[in-house]
Amino acid sequence: MAYNEQYGRYVGMVEETLQALLPEGGAVGPKDGEIPEHLRASMRYSLLAGGKRVRPVLLLAACEMLDGNLEEARVPAAALEMIHTYSLIHDDLPGMDDDDYRRGRPTNHRVYGVGHAILAGDGLLNYAYECLLQNALSYPLNLEGHVKAAAAMAGCAGVRGMIAGQSLDLLSEHMEPDADRLAYIHKHKTADLMTAPLLAAGHIAGADGEKMKALARFGACVGLAFQIDDDLLDLEGDAKLLGKQTGMDAKRGKMTWPSLVGAEAAREKAHALWRQAEEALACFGEKAWFLHAFAVALATREK
Amino acid sequence: MAYNEQYGRYVGMVEETLQALLPEGGAVGPKDGEIPEHLRASMRYSLLAGGKRVRPVLLLAACEMLDGNLEEARVPAAALEMIHTYSLIHDDLPGMDDDDYRRGRPTNHRVYGVGHAILAGDGLLNYAYECLLQNALSYPLNLEGHVKAAAAMAGCAGVRGMIAGQSLDLLSEHMEPDADRLAYIHKHKTADLMTAPLLAAGHIAGADGEKMKALARFGACVGLAFQIDDDLLDLEGDAKLLGKQTGMDAKRGKMTWPSLVGAEAAREKAHALWRQAEEALACFGEKAWFLHAFAVALATREK
């Protein structure tokens, strides 16, 4: 199957699952057992705003590569996108990055107000775990695999993972650039949530220790390279094409690789990481064709 | 064992477990595998600020009443307190209730800034699930019970539970009082998180369907009565004794039972609910002595 066709198939599964887990509501008043309309709308606004679905596609692709049951991975993939989306909604809030646009549209709090943007984010984070737990219970023969997958995702998204990176990122604004600190921020703020789908897929599909290590390595390299490219896009990219303001990192005094080592050296660092990501796939042989192509596609996205 | 002694024993278990899950950190720089210092401090500030620990005590007491293994319930009890605490931190934020004081101390965002208060809340919510999932994996013989307990907690805390109540509460400020709407808000905003520990304990201890129903009923009645009493305290209580500002509901135009039916009728409603809570315990016989005493103590707290 061609890469684009396969990518479309995975994205289709993700969109379908997200729609099923958070369907449009009727225009009724608050009713027990349903998500209230305003909350539901604010969650859907950010969750169903398109985007590349990088993380859930990684989860589905890794699961299929490992001969896992793709159906079992649907909800975990969707849950991971909920976690990613909540982090964007909260990141955009006043007091955090205070952004007005995201994916070419006004940010959540600009449409629903700060209070509901906080709740929409909390709601997506909590609902991710609610869905993960219910999904785990619906596969009693693979319950342990699913709980391990959810635990790995929680670890990557949590206070030693993504949230740790966000915390340091926030504290480091207007600080002197520092390579150790920046490496920590990128590893946790971005790479951990790219590693999460690979670990989750490994647990769902019952991968062995060696394969888990290779998956983690692939995720970490892709995540770090992705973040460096993102910083380069913010520095040099086209705001219209990206659907968001550029030049914001400099304006906010954010620590980035280009600000630390210059754009050219940052580009080289990203190239090296993309290469390491591909090398990590060696132990999966031919079966890794999609993840190979995926890394290439991400590495060459419009800059 | 006397009630006070037993209560102290449960609270001791909760504090000990919270301290173990979120210990004080050294003054080192950011380090992989550890929670960064500022984030940790902001989480600890609100989580370890004392309080009655009502929800985790309910979980431990219900588990013991049902002859469940109390050790297995430690982490779920602590996780529930994390969820409760995150909801308070986010509720206090500007854009939500915009409160300056909580439990007699400045609110989280007044000490750590809005950005870190958002992250501290996100961190506690995510960490609650991380701890629940790891704890579940450490009891392989009762894995399903623990996953069911975590799923019940996620449901009660989530977008059809507590967050649904918060959403309606926020939308209903300065609206005409409406009994249906108010009942919905109180049920979900407050009572669901009181029901959560009872359902969780039931799943961990393997309670049958009839007992699960009785536990849910007890939790719902206690939660609703507790909220009405809270509204009365805000109206008539002593700010110094309560450690927080009073009269805030009226100032914010919040819908409350006293504002809807008057203080006297609200008091009667609370009494009726406390009575129903006690009746729900009938099927547990003598073993429910602590929950009986607990309801009485809550019903007669200083107003």
Side-chain angles (χ1 to χ4, degrees), chain A residues 171-200:
Chain A
L171 289 173
S172 304
E173 288 180 6
H174 305 291
M175 264 193 187
E176 280 297 304
D178 170 321
D180 284 348
R181 203 174 177 95
L182 184 57
Y184 179 96
I185 292 172
H186 282 189
K187 179 176 175 187
H188 294 296
K189 192 185 162 191
T190 308
D192 281 349
L193 215 59
M194 296 283 211
T195 310
L198 295 150
L199 297 181

Side-chain angles (χ1 to χ4, degrees), chain A residues 38-298:
Chain A
H38 198 75
L39 176 63
R40 176 198 296 266
S42 63
M43 291 164 72
R44 283 177 56 90
Y45 177 79
S46 295
L47 186 63
L48 300 167
K52 294 179 294 292
R53 310 303 194 192
V54 169
R55 293 154 196 82
V57 167
L58 277 173
L59 201 158
L60 294 174
C63 185
E64 195 156 42
M65 177 182 79
L66 297 163
D67 296 319
N69 177 357
L70 210 51
E71 281 306 309
E72 289 192 25
R74 264 181 188 272
V75 170
L80 190 61
E81 189 68 9
M82 291 181 201
I83 292 175
H84 173 56
T85 303
Y86 112 77
S87 78
L88 299 181
I89 296 174
H90 282 187
D91 253 347
D92 287 339
L93 285 169
M96 300 281 286
D97 282 356
D98 198 4
D99 266 312
D100 288 333
Y101 291 93
R102 164 78 66 183
R103 291 176 180 167
R105 302 198 302 168
T107 43
N108 198 292
H109 65 272
R110 297 256 296 156
V111 178
Y112 294 94
V114 170
H116 258 90
I118 294 170
L119 289 179
D122 294 345
L124 285 168
L125 175 57
N126 191 87
Y127 196 46
Y129 289 106
E130 193 177 340
C131 293
L132 282 170
L133 289 159
Q134 292 295 353
N135 187 62
L137 287 169
S138 70
Y139 294 106
L141 296 178
N142 195 12
L143 180 59
E144 196 188 345
H146 278 281
V147 175
K148 282 183 175 170
M153 285 162 66
C156 288
V159 291
R160 300 182 193 97
M162 181 182 72
I163 298 172
Q166 289 174 302
S167 170
L168 263 288
D169 187 41
L170 196 60
L171 289 173
S172 304
E173 288 180 6
H174 305 291
M175 264 193 187
E176 280 297 304
D178 170 321
D180 284 348
R181 203 174 177 95
L182 184 57
Y184 179 96
I185 292 172
H186 282 189
K187 179 176 175 187
H188 294 296
K189 192 185 162 191
T190 308
D192 281 349
L193 215 59
M194 296 283 211
T195 310
L198 295 150
L199 297 181
H203 286 302
I204 292 170
D208 63 24
E210 193 210 341
K211 284 183 175 163
M212 290 301 285
K213 262 189 204 165
L215 290 166
R217 182 154 176 73
F218 175 74
C221 291
V222 165
L224 289 174
F226 187 81
Q227 177 64 54
I228 296 175
D229 283 349
D230 225 45
D231 290 349
L232 285 164
L233 285 172
D234 185 74
L235 191 70
E236 308 170 335
D238 179 332
K240 236 185 192 151
L241 217 65
L242 293 167
K244 63 180 178 186
Q245 291 155 283
T246 53
M248 294 306 288
D249 291 335
K251 205 168 151 187
R252 269 186 216 118
K254 287 265 182 203
M255 231 180 255
T256 68
W257 281 115
S259 75
L260 186 69
V261 297
E264 199 41 46
R267 234 186 305 278
E268 275 165 29
K269 195 173 165 66
H271 284 162
L273 283 163
W274 287 117
R275 228 172 14 247
Q276 286 167 39
E278 301 229 27
E279 285 162 15
L281 295 174
C283 69
F284 302 109
E286 293 282 299
K287 290 205 161 184
W289 73 271
F290 182 85
L291 290 184
H292 266 294
F294 186 79
V296 170
L298 272 187

